[in-house]
Amino acid sequence: MKYLILIFLLVSFSACSPEKSPRPEYVLVIHGGAGVMAPKDFTPELEKEYLDKLQEALDSGEAILKSGGTALDAVTAAVKLMEDSPLFNAGKGSVFSETGENEMDAAIMNGKDLSAGAVAGIRTIKNPILAARKVMEDSKHVLLVRDGAEKFAREHDVKIVDPSYFFTQKRYDALLKARKHGTVGAVALDRSGNLAAATSTGGMTNKMTGRVGDTPIIGAGNYANNNTCAVSATGHGNISCAIPLPMIFRL
Ligand code: GLY
């Protein structure tokens, strides 16, 4: 029996008494997909490795929220840190398509003004979430794909790497065996009451070239709206069963 292993961490801080303020001053929830594996392979050592990296990602986002920074900056920082790790199926640790390439998707949304940006099918952008944020802030569009997204990222000083950056033999062998999927994401509430969500993924192992999942589709894999909620989804995004977690709801 194999299981999809997902790990979530949450930090929430409240300085006010509950009578004065029903909501915490800030909240950050992150998720990191460890992929599909047999429980026996998810050793205590491996679990600790994942938890340590997730804690690092949580700390990086919390430092921003604590000092009055925005939910948008917090989710960007947390997701970027997970993209830089080979542990998760996003950025450096992205799975391989049927042609042995890495094609990544990412999206970000600001709950304050409903602005959003996303990239899909990209192969050379070191941090897909930074490219998604540039699309949101510096383009007149919401979703850019493949060469167009890469050209836009280059022109906006987002770091470009050779596709070999995403390759490690150990993970290549393991991933082909493991049918890995998983995604990383973060949702945050900042001290000003604004929500944001960010999600990043390498998609599904052995996917067809050009396959795009739920992650970069605003409202499917990623959504934030100050009036309602912030959501970052994970799971199998081919069919409508991506798991909408984590979430922050406005009550
Ligand atoms: N939920 C990630 C994907 O299916 O690509």
Side-chain angles (χ1 to χ4, degrees), residues 105 181-183 201-204 207 211-215 233-238 242:
D105 307 330
H181 60 274
T183 295
T201 189
M204 315 288 300
K207 66 186 178 182
R211 177 267 184 190
V212 173
D214 58 315
T215 297
T234 187
H236 195 313
N238 271 16

mmCIF file of all heavy atoms in Angstrom, residues 105 181-183 201-204 207 211-215 233-238 242, ligand 1:
data_model
loop_
_atom_site.group_PDB
_atom_site.id
_atom_site.type_symbol
_atom_site.label_atom_id
_atom_site.label_comp_id
_atom_site.label_asym_id
_atom_site.label_seq_id
_atom_site.Cartn_x
_atom_site.Cartn_y
_atom_site.Cartn_z
ATOM 1 N N ASP A 105 4.583 24.575 -12.720
ATOM 2 C CA ASP A 105 3.456 25.505 -12.689
ATOM 3 C C ASP A 105 3.466 26.213 -11.327
ATOM 4 O O ASP A 105 3.836 25.604 -10.314
ATOM 5 C CB ASP A 105 2.111 24.761 -12.778
ATOM 6 C CG ASP A 105 2.023 23.804 -13.959
ATOM 7 O OD1 ASP A 105 2.655 24.074 -14.990
ATOM 8 O OD2 ASP A 105 1.301 22.799 -13.832
ATOM 9 N N HIS A 181 3.688 12.679 -6.884
ATOM 10 C CA HIS A 181 3.073 13.975 -7.090
ATOM 11 C C HIS A 181 3.060 14.688 -5.753
ATOM 12 O O HIS A 181 3.561 14.192 -4.772
ATOM 13 C CB HIS A 181 1.698 13.898 -7.745
ATOM 14 C CG HIS A 181 0.675 13.129 -6.985
ATOM 15 N ND1 HIS A 181 0.529 11.778 -7.104
ATOM 16 C CD2 HIS A 181 -0.248 13.523 -6.103
ATOM 17 C CE1 HIS A 181 -0.472 11.387 -6.332
ATOM 18 N NE2 HIS A 181 -0.958 12.428 -5.714
ATOM 19 N N GLY A 182 2.525 15.856 -5.723
ATOM 20 C CA GLY A 182 2.622 16.683 -4.526
ATOM 21 C C GLY A 182 2.849 18.099 -4.982
ATOM 22 O O GLY A 182 3.091 18.346 -6.157
ATOM 23 N N THR A 183 2.762 18.995 -4.078
ATOM 24 C CA THR A 183 2.759 20.412 -4.408
ATOM 25 C C THR A 183 3.192 21.136 -3.145
ATOM 26 O O THR A 183 3.098 20.579 -2.066
ATOM 27 C CB THR A 183 1.311 20.804 -4.814
ATOM 28 O OG1 THR A 183 0.969 20.111 -6.006
ATOM 29 C CG2 THR A 183 1.127 22.285 -5.027
ATOM 30 N N THR A 201 4.284 23.776 -8.163
ATOM 31 C CA THR A 201 4.375 22.325 -8.345
ATOM 32 C C THR A 201 5.147 21.937 -9.595
ATOM 33 O O THR A 201 5.244 22.725 -10.543
ATOM 34 C CB THR A 201 2.948 21.709 -8.435
ATOM 35 O OG1 THR A 201 3.051 20.283 -8.404
ATOM 36 C CG2 THR A 201 2.232 22.124 -9.707
ATOM 37 N N GLY A 202 5.677 20.727 -9.567
ATOM 38 C CA GLY A 202 6.242 20.126 -10.777
ATOM 39 C C GLY A 202 5.205 19.277 -11.487
ATOM 40 O O GLY A 202 5.466 18.707 -12.534
ATOM 41 N N GLY A 203 4.005 19.168 -10.889
ATOM 42 C CA GLY A 203 2.921 18.394 -11.513
ATOM 43 C C GLY A 203 3.032 16.917 -11.199
ATOM 44 O O GLY A 203 3.402 16.533 -10.102
ATOM 45 N N MET A 204 2.690 16.080 -12.179
ATOM 46 C CA MET A 204 2.661 14.629 -11.988
ATOM 47 C C MET A 204 3.852 13.971 -12.690
ATOM 48 O O MET A 204 4.149 14.308 -13.832
ATOM 49 C CB MET A 204 1.399 14.033 -12.624
ATOM 50 C CG MET A 204 0.111 14.784 -12.333
ATOM 51 S SD MET A 204 -0.440 14.591 -10.651
ATOM 52 C CE MET A 204 -0.677 12.825 -10.547
ATOM 53 N N LYS A 207 4.078 12.782 -16.681
ATOM 54 C CA LYS A 207 2.986 13.487 -17.369
ATOM 55 C C LYS A 207 3.377 13.753 -18.825
ATOM 56 O O LYS A 207 4.570 13.798 -19.159
ATOM 57 C CB LYS A 207 2.681 14.816 -16.657
ATOM 58 C CG LYS A 207 3.805 15.842 -16.713
ATOM 59 C CD LYS A 207 3.482 17.062 -15.868
ATOM 60 C CE LYS A 207 4.636 18.062 -15.900
ATOM 61 N NZ LYS A 207 4.378 19.238 -15.048
ATOM 62 N N ARG A 211 1.213 19.039 -20.296
ATOM 63 C CA ARG A 211 0.119 18.861 -19.333
ATOM 64 C C ARG A 211 0.190 19.967 -18.266
ATOM 65 O O ARG A 211 1.231 20.247 -17.703
ATOM 66 C CB ARG A 211 0.234 17.491 -18.676
ATOM 67 C CG ARG A 211 -0.822 17.216 -17.590
ATOM 68 C CD ARG A 211 -0.340 17.569 -16.208
ATOM 69 N NE ARG A 211 -1.320 17.214 -15.176
ATOM 70 C CZ ARG A 211 -1.220 17.585 -13.909
ATOM 71 N NH1 ARG A 211 -0.214 18.312 -13.505
ATOM 72 N NH2 ARG A 211 -2.130 17.225 -13.035
ATOM 73 N N VAL A 212 -0.941 20.580 -18.007
ATOM 74 C CA VAL A 212 -1.023 21.590 -16.950
ATOM 75 C C VAL A 212 -2.099 21.148 -15.973
ATOM 76 O O VAL A 212 -3.190 20.737 -16.385
ATOM 77 C CB VAL A 212 -1.377 22.972 -17.542
ATOM 78 C CG1 VAL A 212 -1.635 23.989 -16.439
ATOM 79 C CG2 VAL A 212 -0.254 23.468 -18.457
ATOM 80 N N GLY A 213 -1.798 21.213 -14.685
ATOM 81 C CA GLY A 213 -2.767 20.790 -13.670
ATOM 82 C C GLY A 213 -3.572 21.955 -13.125
ATOM 83 O O GLY A 213 -3.748 22.990 -13.783
ATOM 84 N N ASP A 214 -4.018 21.791 -11.901
ATOM 85 C CA ASP A 214 -4.876 22.804 -11.283
ATOM 86 C C ASP A 214 -4.113 24.000 -10.739
ATOM 87 O O ASP A 214 -4.659 25.095 -10.611
ATOM 88 C CB ASP A 214 -5.666 22.159 -10.135
ATOM 89 C CG ASP A 214 -4.735 21.556 -9.088
ATOM 90 O OD1 ASP A 214 -3.762 20.886 -9.481
ATOM 91 O OD2 ASP A 214 -4.968 21.773 -7.882
ATOM 92 N N THR A 215 -2.824 23.791 -10.418
ATOM 93 C CA THR A 215 -2.076 24.805 -9.663
ATOM 94 C C THR A 215 -2.116 26.216 -10.263
ATOM 95 O O THR A 215 -2.409 27.180 -9.551
ATOM 96 C CB THR A 215 -0.614 24.344 -9.479
ATOM 97 O OG1 THR A 215 -0.633 23.146 -8.707
ATOM 98 C CG2 THR A 215 0.228 25.393 -8.760
ATOM 99 N N ALA A 233 -4.242 24.453 -3.060
ATOM 100 C CA ALA A 233 -4.646 23.050 -3.217
ATOM 101 C C ALA A 233 -3.455 22.138 -3.515
ATOM 102 O O ALA A 233 -2.433 22.568 -4.037
ATOM 103 C CB ALA A 233 -5.664 22.927 -4.345
ATOM 104 N N THR A 234 -3.628 20.861 -3.194
ATOM 105 C CA THR A 234 -2.644 19.849 -3.558
ATOM 106 C C THR A 234 -3.405 18.626 -4.056
ATOM 107 O O THR A 234 -4.615 18.643 -4.158
ATOM 108 C CB THR A 234 -1.739 19.509 -2.358
ATOM 109 O OG1 THR A 234 -0.701 18.637 -2.792
ATOM 110 C CG2 THR A 234 -2.519 18.844 -1.232
ATOM 111 N N GLY A 235 -2.689 17.574 -4.423
ATOM 112 C CA GLY A 235 -3.351 16.358 -4.901
ATOM 113 C C GLY A 235 -3.335 16.280 -6.416
ATOM 114 O O GLY A 235 -2.657 17.046 -7.094
ATOM 115 N N HIS A 236 -4.097 15.342 -6.947
ATOM 116 C CA HIS A 236 -4.101 15.035 -8.377
ATOM 117 C C HIS A 236 -4.967 16.046 -9.110
ATOM 118 O O HIS A 236 -6.193 15.961 -9.083
ATOM 119 C CB HIS A 236 -4.647 13.619 -8.565
ATOM 120 C CG HIS A 236 -4.382 13.045 -9.909
ATOM 121 N ND1 HIS A 236 -4.609 13.751 -11.070
ATOM 122 C CD2 HIS A 236 -3.902 11.839 -10.280
ATOM 123 C CE1 HIS A 236 -4.279 12.983 -12.103
ATOM 124 N NE2 HIS A 236 -3.846 11.816 -11.634
ATOM 125 N N GLY A 237 -4.335 16.992 -9.775
ATOM 126 C CA GLY A 237 -5.085 18.082 -10.384
ATOM 127 C C GLY A 237 -5.619 17.796 -11.771
ATOM 128 O O GLY A 237 -6.179 18.676 -12.412
ATOM 129 N N ASN A 238 -5.486 16.555 -12.270
ATOM 130 C CA ASN A 238 -6.047 16.217 -13.583
ATOM 131 C C ASN A 238 -7.548 16.137 -13.517
ATOM 132 O O ASN A 238 -8.255 16.454 -14.453
ATOM 133 C CB ASN A 238 -5.573 14.824 -14.020
ATOM 134 C CG ASN A 238 -4.283 14.891 -14.788
ATOM 135 O OD1 ASN A 238 -3.606 15.896 -14.749
ATOM 136 N ND2 ASN A 238 -3.950 13.812 -15.468
ATOM 137 N N ALA A 242 -8.297 17.549 -6.551
ATOM 138 C CA ALA A 242 -7.200 18.176 -5.828
ATOM 139 C C ALA A 242 -7.718 18.527 -4.432
ATOM 140 O O ALA A 242 -8.868 18.888 -4.258
ATOM 141 C CB ALA A 242 -6.744 19.424 -6.554
HETATM 142 N N1 GLY B 1 -2.076 19.563 -8.024
HETATM 143 C C1 GLY B 1 -0.897 19.591 -8.781
HETATM 144 C C2 GLY B 1 -1.041 19.013 -10.118
HETATM 145 O O1 GLY B 1 -1.901 18.177 -10.354
HETATM 146 O O2 GLY B 1 -0.288 19.371 -10.981
#
